[in-house]
Amino acid sequence: MHRPNYGNSPPLHHPVPQHVSTVPQLRSPPPPMSQPQGQGYDGSPYPQQQQGRVPSGGGNMFGQYGNFMNDPAAQIASQFGQTAFRQGQEYLENNVNRFVNVSALKHYFNVTNSYVINKLFLVLFPWRHKPWSRKQAVGPSGQEGWYLPPRDDINSPDMYIPVMSVVTYVFLRTVVAGFLGRFQPELFGYIATTAFAVVTFEILGLKLGCYLLNISNTSQLLDLVAYSGYKFVGVITTISIAEIANGGKGTGGWVGWLVFFYTFAANSLFLMRSLKYVLLPENNGDNRAPMQSMQTETRAKRNQRTQFLFIYSYIVQFGLMWILARP
Protein backbone atom coordinates (compact mmCIF):
# COMPACT_ATOMS: atom_id res chain seq x y z
CA MET A 1 0.00 0.00 0.00
CA HIS A 2 1.41 3.38 -1.05
CA ARG A 3 1.72 5.91 1.79
CA PRO A 4 1.37 9.58 0.83
CA ASN A 5 4.43 11.78 1.11
CA TYR A 6 3.76 15.10 2.83
CA GLY A 7 7.18 16.48 2.27
CA ASN A 8 10.40 16.29 4.01
CA SER A 9 9.08 16.68 7.58
CA PRO A 10 11.38 16.04 10.45
CA PRO A 11 10.83 12.89 12.45
CA LEU A 12 8.61 13.09 15.51
CA HIS A 13 10.23 12.72 18.89
CA HIS A 14 8.39 12.28 22.31
CA PRO A 15 9.63 14.64 25.01
CA VAL A 16 11.78 13.03 27.59
CA PRO A 17 11.06 14.26 31.20
CA GLN A 18 13.95 16.02 32.83
CA HIS A 19 14.36 15.01 36.52
CA VAL A 20 15.75 17.96 38.39
CA SER A 21 15.75 16.30 41.77
CA THR A 22 15.11 12.85 43.04
CA VAL A 23 11.97 12.33 45.18
CA PRO A 24 12.87 10.43 48.32
CA GLN A 25 11.06 7.19 48.91
CA LEU A 26 8.71 7.13 51.91
CA ARG A 27 9.52 4.43 54.41
CA SER A 28 7.97 3.59 57.76
CA PRO A 29 10.18 4.21 60.79
CA PRO A 30 12.08 1.19 61.99
CA PRO A 31 10.63 -0.65 65.00
CA PRO A 32 12.22 -0.13 68.42
CA MET A 33 15.33 -2.12 69.04
CA SER A 34 13.94 -3.68 72.24
CA GLN A 35 10.64 -4.70 70.66
CA PRO A 36 10.09 -6.93 67.65
CA GLN A 37 7.74 -5.50 65.04
CA GLY A 38 4.08 -6.50 65.58
CA GLN A 39 4.54 -7.41 69.26
CA GLY A 40 3.90 -5.64 72.54
CA TYR A 41 6.44 -4.58 75.05
CA ASP A 42 6.12 -7.88 76.85
CA GLY A 43 6.61 -9.92 73.70
CA SER A 44 2.94 -10.72 73.15
CA PRO A 45 1.50 -10.48 69.63
CA TYR A 46 -0.91 -7.67 70.69
CA PRO A 47 -0.24 -4.04 71.48
CA GLN A 48 0.16 -3.10 75.08
CA GLN A 49 -3.13 -1.11 75.20
CA GLN A 50 -5.10 -4.27 74.46
CA GLN A 51 -3.60 -5.92 77.52
CA GLY A 52 -5.22 -3.40 79.88
CA ARG A 53 -2.08 -1.28 80.30
CA VAL A 54 -1.93 2.45 79.79
CA PRO A 55 1.36 3.86 78.58
CA SER A 56 2.91 6.50 80.72
CA GLY A 57 3.71 10.03 79.65
CA GLY A 58 1.56 12.35 77.57
CA GLY A 59 -0.86 9.58 76.46
CA ASN A 60 -2.05 8.86 80.00
CA MET A 61 -5.61 10.18 80.07
CA PHE A 62 -6.02 9.56 83.78
CA GLY A 63 -2.83 11.38 84.53
CA GLN A 64 -4.04 14.38 82.55
CA TYR A 65 -7.38 14.29 84.38
CA GLY A 66 -5.62 14.15 87.72
CA ASN A 67 -3.43 17.08 86.73
CA PHE A 68 -6.56 19.00 85.72
CA MET A 69 -8.22 18.34 89.08
CA ASN A 70 -5.09 19.50 90.86
CA ASP A 71 -5.15 22.74 88.92
CA PRO A 72 -6.00 25.68 91.26
CA ALA A 73 -8.26 27.21 88.62
CA ALA A 74 -10.26 23.97 88.38
CA GLN A 75 -10.64 23.81 92.16
CA ILE A 76 -11.88 27.42 92.25
CA ALA A 77 -14.39 26.64 89.49
CA SER A 78 -15.59 23.55 91.38
CA GLN A 79 -16.09 25.54 94.58
CA PHE A 80 -17.92 28.25 92.66
CA GLY A 81 -20.23 25.65 91.10
CA GLN A 82 -21.03 24.09 94.47
CA THR A 83 -21.77 27.50 95.96
CA ALA A 84 -24.03 28.44 93.04
CA PHE A 85 -25.90 25.12 93.28
CA ARG A 86 -26.43 25.55 97.02
CA GLN A 87 -27.66 29.11 96.60
CA GLY A 88 -30.00 28.05 93.81
CA GLN A 89 -31.42 25.26 95.94
CA GLU A 90 -32.01 27.66 98.84
CA TYR A 91 -33.67 30.18 96.52
CA LEU A 92 -35.95 27.49 95.08
CA GLU A 93 -36.96 26.22 98.51
CA ASN A 94 -37.66 29.73 99.79
CA ASN A 95 -39.88 30.56 96.82
CA VAL A 96 -41.67 27.21 96.79
CA ASN A 97 -42.36 27.51 100.52
CA ARG A 98 -44.47 30.57 99.79
CA PHE A 99 -47.09 28.33 98.22
CA VAL A 100 -46.36 24.82 99.53
CA ASN A 101 -44.73 23.79 102.77
CA VAL A 102 -42.06 21.42 101.50
CA SER A 103 -41.24 20.01 104.94
CA ALA A 104 -44.93 19.29 105.54
CA LEU A 105 -45.26 17.75 102.08
CA LYS A 106 -42.47 15.30 102.85
CA HIS A 107 -44.55 14.04 105.78
CA TYR A 108 -47.26 12.83 103.38
CA PHE A 109 -44.80 10.87 101.23
CA ASN A 110 -43.19 9.09 104.18
CA VAL A 111 -44.68 5.69 103.30
CA THR A 112 -43.58 2.08 103.06
CA ASN A 113 -44.65 -0.84 100.87
CA SER A 114 -46.59 -2.44 103.70
CA TYR A 115 -48.41 0.82 104.39
CA VAL A 116 -49.44 1.20 100.73
CA ILE A 117 -50.81 -2.34 100.58
CA ASN A 118 -52.66 -2.04 103.87
CA LYS A 119 -54.06 1.38 102.98
CA LEU A 120 -55.36 0.17 99.62
CA PHE A 121 -57.02 -2.74 101.40
CA LEU A 122 -58.50 -0.30 103.94
CA VAL A 123 -59.93 1.99 101.24
CA LEU A 124 -61.59 -0.93 99.44
CA PHE A 125 -62.66 -2.89 102.55
CA PRO A 126 -63.28 -0.44 105.42
CA TRP A 127 -66.17 -2.32 106.99
CA ARG A 128 -64.49 -3.89 110.01
CA HIS A 129 -61.57 -1.57 110.56
CA LYS A 130 -61.06 -0.18 114.09
CA PRO A 131 -59.95 2.22 115.46
CA TRP A 132 -60.15 5.21 113.12
CA SER A 133 -58.44 7.79 115.31
CA ARG A 134 -55.00 9.03 114.31
CA LYS A 135 -51.96 8.42 116.47
CA GLN A 136 -49.95 11.27 117.92
CA ALA A 137 -46.35 11.36 118.99
CA VAL A 138 -45.75 11.60 122.73
CA GLY A 139 -43.38 14.32 123.90
CA PRO A 140 -40.74 14.04 126.61
CA SER A 141 -43.14 15.23 129.31
CA GLY A 142 -45.90 12.86 128.25
CA GLN A 143 -48.07 15.30 126.27
CA GLU A 144 -49.30 14.48 122.78
CA GLY A 145 -47.86 16.49 119.94
CA TRP A 146 -47.82 16.11 116.16
CA TYR A 147 -49.42 13.28 114.21
CA LEU A 148 -47.31 10.30 113.24
CA PRO A 149 -46.31 9.89 109.56
CA PRO A 150 -48.21 7.44 107.35
CA ARG A 151 -45.57 4.72 107.66
CA ASP A 152 -46.28 4.56 111.41
CA ASP A 153 -50.06 5.05 111.31
CA ILE A 154 -52.46 3.36 108.92
CA ASN A 155 -55.09 6.04 109.62
CA SER A 156 -52.81 8.88 108.57
CA PRO A 157 -53.54 10.41 105.14
CA ASP A 158 -50.80 10.29 102.53
CA MET A 159 -50.19 11.82 99.14
CA TYR A 160 -48.45 8.88 97.50
CA ILE A 161 -51.57 6.80 96.84
CA PRO A 162 -53.68 9.75 95.56
CA VAL A 163 -50.94 10.98 93.20
CA MET A 164 -50.25 7.51 91.80
CA SER A 165 -53.99 6.84 91.53
CA VAL A 166 -54.57 9.98 89.45
CA VAL A 167 -51.70 9.09 87.10
CA THR A 168 -52.95 5.50 86.79
CA TYR A 169 -56.49 6.74 86.14
CA VAL A 170 -55.36 8.95 83.25
CA PHE A 171 -53.40 6.15 81.57
CA LEU A 172 -56.15 3.58 82.19
CA ARG A 173 -58.81 5.73 80.57
CA THR A 174 -56.63 6.32 77.51
CA VAL A 175 -55.87 2.59 77.20
CA VAL A 176 -59.59 1.77 77.39
CA ALA A 177 -60.29 4.38 74.73
CA GLY A 178 -57.65 2.74 72.56
CA PHE A 179 -59.35 -0.65 72.93
CA LEU A 180 -62.63 0.92 71.86
CA GLY A 181 -61.01 2.60 68.84
CA ARG A 182 -61.54 6.12 70.19
CA PHE A 183 -57.99 7.03 71.14
CA GLN A 184 -56.71 10.50 70.35
CA PRO A 185 -53.65 12.28 71.69
CA GLU A 186 -55.90 14.99 73.11
CA LEU A 187 -57.43 12.45 75.50
CA PHE A 188 -54.48 12.74 77.88
CA GLY A 189 -55.09 16.43 78.43
CA TYR A 190 -58.87 16.07 78.56
CA ILE A 191 -58.86 13.25 81.13
CA ALA A 192 -56.18 14.89 83.28
CA THR A 193 -58.07 18.20 83.22
CA THR A 194 -61.27 16.44 84.26
CA ALA A 195 -59.54 14.72 87.17
CA PHE A 196 -57.93 17.93 88.45
CA ALA A 197 -61.20 19.84 88.01
CA VAL A 198 -63.04 17.27 90.12
CA VAL A 199 -60.45 17.47 92.90
CA THR A 200 -60.40 21.28 92.80
CA PHE A 201 -64.19 21.51 92.96
CA GLU A 202 -64.22 19.10 95.87
CA ILE A 203 -61.57 21.01 97.85
CA LEU A 204 -63.30 24.34 97.27
CA GLY A 205 -66.59 22.85 98.45
CA LEU A 206 -64.95 21.45 101.58
CA LYS A 207 -63.28 24.75 102.41
CA LEU A 208 -66.54 26.65 101.85
CA GLY A 209 -68.48 24.26 104.07
CA CYS A 210 -65.86 24.48 106.80
CA TYR A 211 -65.98 28.27 106.64
CA LEU A 212 -69.79 28.42 106.84
CA LEU A 213 -69.87 25.94 109.74
CA ASN A 214 -67.05 27.76 111.56
CA ILE A 215 -64.83 24.69 111.59
CA SER A 216 -61.37 25.90 112.51
CA ASN A 217 -59.85 22.46 112.99
CA THR A 218 -58.94 22.11 109.31
CA SER A 219 -55.28 22.75 110.07
CA GLN A 220 -53.91 20.97 107.04
CA LEU A 221 -55.18 21.60 103.53
CA LEU A 222 -53.12 18.64 102.33
CA ASP A 223 -55.24 16.34 104.50
CA LEU A 224 -58.33 17.27 102.51
CA VAL A 225 -56.44 16.92 99.23
CA ALA A 226 -55.26 13.45 100.23
CA TYR A 227 -58.72 12.28 101.25
CA SER A 228 -60.24 13.60 98.03
CA GLY A 229 -57.75 11.53 96.02
CA TYR A 230 -58.64 8.18 97.54
CA LYS A 231 -61.77 7.96 95.41
CA PHE A 232 -59.58 7.24 92.37
CA VAL A 233 -58.74 3.84 93.89
CA GLY A 234 -62.39 2.83 93.67
CA VAL A 235 -62.78 4.37 90.22
CA ILE A 236 -59.77 2.45 88.89
CA THR A 237 -61.12 -0.78 90.38
CA THR A 238 -64.52 -0.15 88.80
CA ILE A 239 -63.16 0.57 85.32
CA SER A 240 -60.75 -2.39 85.37
CA ILE A 241 -63.29 -5.00 86.49
CA ALA A 242 -66.02 -3.61 84.23
CA GLU A 243 -63.79 -3.72 81.15
CA ILE A 244 -62.71 -7.28 81.89
CA ALA A 245 -66.23 -8.52 82.62
CA ASN A 246 -68.07 -6.64 79.86
CA GLY A 247 -65.51 -7.30 77.15
CA GLY A 248 -64.55 -3.68 76.57
CA LYS A 249 -68.09 -2.25 76.64
CA GLY A 250 -67.33 0.21 79.44
CA THR A 251 -68.99 0.54 82.82
CA GLY A 252 -72.53 0.48 81.47
CA GLY A 253 -73.05 -3.23 82.11
CA TRP A 254 -74.59 -4.63 85.26
CA VAL A 255 -71.21 -5.87 86.50
CA GLY A 256 -69.76 -2.39 86.20
CA TRP A 257 -72.68 -0.86 88.08
CA LEU A 258 -72.39 -3.43 90.88
CA VAL A 259 -68.69 -2.73 91.29
CA PHE A 260 -69.34 1.01 91.11
CA PHE A 261 -71.93 0.92 93.91
CA TYR A 262 -69.63 -1.18 96.07
CA THR A 263 -66.58 1.06 95.63
CA PHE A 264 -68.77 4.12 96.15
CA ALA A 265 -70.14 2.75 99.43
CA ALA A 266 -66.65 1.73 100.60
CA ASN A 267 -65.19 5.14 99.79
CA SER A 268 -68.09 6.93 101.50
CA LEU A 269 -67.71 4.95 104.71
CA PHE A 270 -63.96 5.48 104.62
CA LEU A 271 -64.43 9.26 104.36
CA MET A 272 -67.11 9.33 107.05
CA ARG A 273 -64.84 7.62 109.56
CA SER A 274 -61.58 9.30 108.49
CA LEU A 275 -62.78 12.93 108.31
CA LYS A 276 -64.48 12.76 111.66
CA TYR A 277 -61.47 14.25 113.46
CA VAL A 278 -61.40 17.16 110.96
CA LEU A 279 -65.07 18.10 110.58
CA LEU A 280 -66.30 16.99 114.00
CA PRO A 281 -63.87 18.40 116.58
CA GLU A 282 -64.54 17.48 120.15
CA ASN A 283 -64.22 20.89 121.85
CA ASN A 284 -66.29 23.62 120.21
CA GLY A 285 -67.90 25.45 123.15
CA ASP A 286 -66.88 28.45 125.13
CA ASN A 287 -65.84 27.69 128.70
CA ARG A 288 -67.12 31.09 129.86
CA ALA A 289 -70.69 30.33 128.73
CA PRO A 290 -73.19 28.49 130.93
CA MET A 291 -72.94 24.72 130.80
CA GLN A 292 -76.44 24.15 129.42
CA SER A 293 -76.05 26.80 126.72
CA MET A 294 -72.67 25.42 125.81
CA GLN A 295 -74.04 21.90 125.46
CA THR A 296 -76.98 23.10 123.34
CA GLU A 297 -74.70 25.09 121.03
CA THR A 298 -72.24 22.23 120.76
CA ARG A 299 -75.01 19.75 119.97
CA ALA A 300 -76.46 22.01 117.28
CA LYS A 301 -73.09 22.59 115.68
CA ARG A 302 -72.29 18.91 115.79
CA ASN A 303 -75.57 18.03 114.08
CA GLN A 304 -74.89 20.53 111.31
CA ARG A 305 -71.38 19.24 110.80
CA THR A 306 -72.58 15.65 110.80
CA GLN A 307 -75.11 16.48 108.09
CA PHE A 308 -72.45 18.28 106.08
CA LEU A 309 -70.09 15.29 106.40
CA PHE A 310 -72.88 12.91 105.32
CA ILE A 311 -73.74 15.02 102.27
CA TYR A 312 -70.09 15.27 101.30
CA SER A 313 -69.31 11.58 101.84
CA TYR A 314 -72.37 10.14 100.06
CA ILE A 315 -74.16 12.59 97.79
CA VAL A 316 -71.14 14.57 96.55
CA GLN A 317 -68.94 11.50 96.22
CA PHE A 318 -71.58 9.66 94.19
CA GLY A 319 -71.70 12.46 91.64
CA LEU A 320 -67.93 12.87 91.42
CA MET A 321 -67.22 9.16 91.14
CA TRP A 322 -69.88 8.78 88.45
CA ILE A 323 -68.27 11.57 86.42
CA LEU A 324 -64.88 9.88 86.68
CA ALA A 325 -66.08 6.31 86.02
CA ARG A 326 -68.58 6.88 83.24
CA PRO A 327 -67.62 5.41 79.83
Side-chain angles (χ1 to χ4, degrees):
M1 183 175 181
H2 179 72
R3 299 178 61 182
N5 187 6
Y6 295 98
N8 297 326
S9 60
L12 298 176
H13 298 278
H14 295 282
V16 179
Q18 301 294 328
H19 299 280
V20 179
S21 62
T22 304
V23 180
Q25 298 181 1
L26 298 178
R27 298 181 181 179
S28 59
M33 299 300 297
S34 60
Q35 175 188 357
Q37 187 176 1
Q39 295 183 354
Y41 293 107
D42 54 354
S44 60
Y46 300 100
Q48 186 176 5
Q49 288 79 359
Q50 297 181 2
Q51 301 238 348
R53 301 178 182 177
V54 179
S56 59
N60 192 346
M61 179 182 64
F62 300 99
Q64 293 179 357
Y65 182 76
N67 294 332
F68 173 77
M69 294 303 296
N70 293 329
D71 190 0
Q75 295 179 358
I76 295 175
S78 177
Q79 295 177 0
F80 177 77
Q82 294 177 1
T83 304
F85 176 78
R86 182 167 56 252
Q87 293 178 355
Q89 185 177 8
E90 294 176 356
Y91 175 81
L92 181 62
E93 291 179 357
N94 294 333
N95 285 271
V96 172
N97 285 331
R98 297 179 182 178
F99 306 98
V100 179
N101 192 348
V102 178
S103 60
L105 189 61
K106 293 179 181 179
H107 171 86
Y108 292 88
F109 285 93
N110 189 6
V111 299
T112 58
N113 294 333
S114 59
Y115 167 82
V116 173
I117 296 175
N118 294 330
K119 195 57 173 281
L120 291 176
F121 186 84
L122 175 60
V123 173
L124 294 176
F125 306 99
W127 315 108
R128 303 184 63 180
H129 175 73
K130 289 182 180 181
W132 290 89
S133 59
R134 295 182 59 179
K135 299 179 182 180
Q136 293 183 351
V138 180
S141 58
Q143 78 279 7
E144 292 183 349
W146 60 91
Y147 289 113
L148 292 178
R151 64 181 304 161
D152 299 326
D153 184 13
I154 188 64
N155 295 323
S156 177
D158 70 284
M159 293 294 294
Y160 177 80
I161 293 178
V163 170
M164 296 303 297
S165 298
V166 172
V167 175
T168 305
Y169 167 78
V170 173
F171 280 96
L172 180 61
R173 287 294 304 269
T174 53
V175 169
V176 172
F179 289 155
L180 299 177
R182 298 179 299 185
F183 174 78
Q184 295 179 358
E186 295 79 7
L187 278 177
F188 285 101
Y190 172 75
I191 296 173
T193 303
T194 303
F196 285 112
V198 167
V199 174
T200 303
F201 172 80
E202 184 176 356
I203 298 301
L204 293 178
L206 274 174
K207 296 295 291 184
L208 179 61
C210 294
Y211 174 77
L212 295 177
L213 296 176
N214 195 20
I215 301 176
S216 60
N217 196 27
T218 56
S219 57
Q220 292 292 342
L221 176 63
L222 295 178
D223 286 2
L224 303 179
V225 176
Y227 284 119
S228 66
Y230 286 119
K231 70 171 61 64
F232 288 92
V233 177
V235 172
I236 292 172
T237 304
T238 301
I239 296 176
S240 302
I241 297 179
E243 291 298 326
I244 295 175
N246 297 334
K249 297 180 182 179
T251 57
W254 64 272
V255 176
W257 280 110
L258 286 179
V259 178
F260 172 78
F261 278 111
Y262 173 82
T263 55
F264 154 72
N267 180 71
S268 299
L269 179 61
F270 172 78
L271 291 179
M272 279 285 295
R273 300 293 177 83
S274 299
L275 288 176
K276 187 177 181 180
Y277 80 97
V278 176
L279 302 180
L280 300 176
E282 296 295 335
N283 298 325
N284 297 311
D286 189 358
N287 295 330
R288 296 174 294 180
M291 183 62 64
Q292 184 177 2
S293 174
M294 181 182 65
Q295 291 179 355
T296 303
E297 182 181 3
T298 303
R299 189 180 302 110
K301 287 183 178 181
R302 190 174 183 86
N303 291 334
Q304 294 176 358
R305 293 169 181 174
T306 303
Q307 295 174 2
F308 172 73
L309 181 58
F310 178 83
I311 294 174
Y312 166 73
S313 300
Y314 285 91
I315 299 178
V316 175
Q317 292 300 313
F318 180 85
L320 296 180
M321 292 185 66
W322 180 80
I323 293 175
L324 294 173
R326 63 180 181 178

